Amino acid sequence: MATEALLIMGLQLDYCRGGAVEVSGADQLVPIVNEWTERIPLTVFVQDWYPPDHCVFAANHLWRKPGQQLSLTAAGATQSLPYELMHMHCVQGSFGAEPANGLAMGRITQVIRRCLRPDVPGLSAFADLDQQSTGLEAWLQQAGVTNVILMGTPLETLIYETALAAVQRGFHTCLVGEGCRALSPDQQQQQYDRLRAIAVEII
């Protein structure tokens, strides 16, 4: 069985040029990601798939705006968990939730959808904020994967949290430096240093 898998995150139209939560340079990642999907047989497309009434959308909270923080008290938790409000994006069935133009979806082995529950924010490709699984870990284990390679965006949030979760779950974790983009381009190198500090290899 294959021992490595490529995890592709944030390459949806709402993260690309003109999207609701545009990340500068996200479109430029498509040919780089496509090249890597030719090298690695197991590829996972992680798709944000928000219901329209999701709690992270500022529009669903009276007098709130993107960037403000709220908190979630998960069942059994001893403390509240903070999360940041966002613009509506990647809503289930919407144009913005579709894969980025030109992405070679025919070479994708598995699609993992996250942010499905309206009352719980997403955290990583592995789990929501309350640590309920997305099913990714079980799929990787069943496929015999021990090494994961991450690409996509946003580097500061989804990529970082997924890398941290992968390391914590015992996966050897790498990140393709040229295959990621940060929300703040001038912070890209700082984010690489942050990832190295949690034992992620930048390749």
Side-chain angles (χ1 to χ4, degrees):
M1 289 192 292
T3 60
E4 62 182 8
L6 181 67
L7 307 185
I8 304 163
M9 291 165 281
L11 285 189
Q12 294 171 251
L13 291 176
D14 267 342
Y15 287 105
C16 295
R17 185 179 306 164
V21 286
E22 177 181 346
V23 177
S24 178
D27 306 75
Q28 299 166 13
L29 298 179
V30 171
I32 301 170
V33 169
N34 285 345
E35 182 182 339
W36 277 82
T37 63
E38 293 179 343
R39 302 184 200 177
I40 301 177
L42 286 181
T43 55
V44 179
F45 180 72
V46 179
Q47 186 176 31
D48 287 2
W49 197 247
Y50 292 95
D53 59 343
H54 201 281
C55 64
V56 299
F57 295 150
N60 292 327
H61 301 273
L62 191 63
W63 311 122
R64 296 287 186 171
K65 61 183 180 180
Q68 291 183 322
Q69 282 204 338
L70 294 181
S71 61
L72 167 77
T73 302
T78 57
Q79 60 183 10
S80 61
L81 304 168
Y83 65 94
E84 187 173 298
L85 295 177
M86 307 174 72
H87 291 286
M88 291 189 79
H89 66 286
C90 297
V91 173
Q92 296 174 6
S94 71
F95 176 78
E98 294 299 311
N101 292 326
L103 190 63
M105 292 299 292
R107 292 198 288 269
I108 298 298
T109 312
Q110 179 74 7
V111 175
I112 293 290
R113 287 177 168 168
R114 65 182 213 105
C115 306
L116 301 176
R117 295 180 293 155
D119 56 341
V120 182
L123 181 64
S124 72
F126 286 92
D128 290 333
L129 189 61
D130 63 354
Q131 295 305 312
Q132 180 165 310
S133 175
T134 62
L136 175 60
E137 182 178 10
W139 186 87
L140 292 172
Q141 290 174 339
Q142 186 174 9
V145 171
T146 56
N147 303 343
V148 292
I149 302 170
L150 291 88
M151 302 182 75
T153 189
L155 190 55
E156 299 94 327
T157 52
L158 177 55
I159 300 291
Y160 176 83
E161 294 294 347
T162 298
L164 177 61
V167 170
Q168 291 173 338
R169 287 163 172 75
F171 293 99
H172 177 73
T173 306
C174 300
L175 179 137
V176 181
E178 66 170 351
C180 295
R181 291 291 183 274
L183 289 166
S184 303
D186 60 339
Q187 296 293 309
Q188 190 103 353
Q189 190 57 53
Q190 181 180 329
Q191 295 304 319
Y192 292 154
D193 293 341
R194 188 172 170 233
L195 285 156
R196 289 188 185 98
I198 59 169
V200 175
E201 181 183 355
I202 311 297
I203 57 176

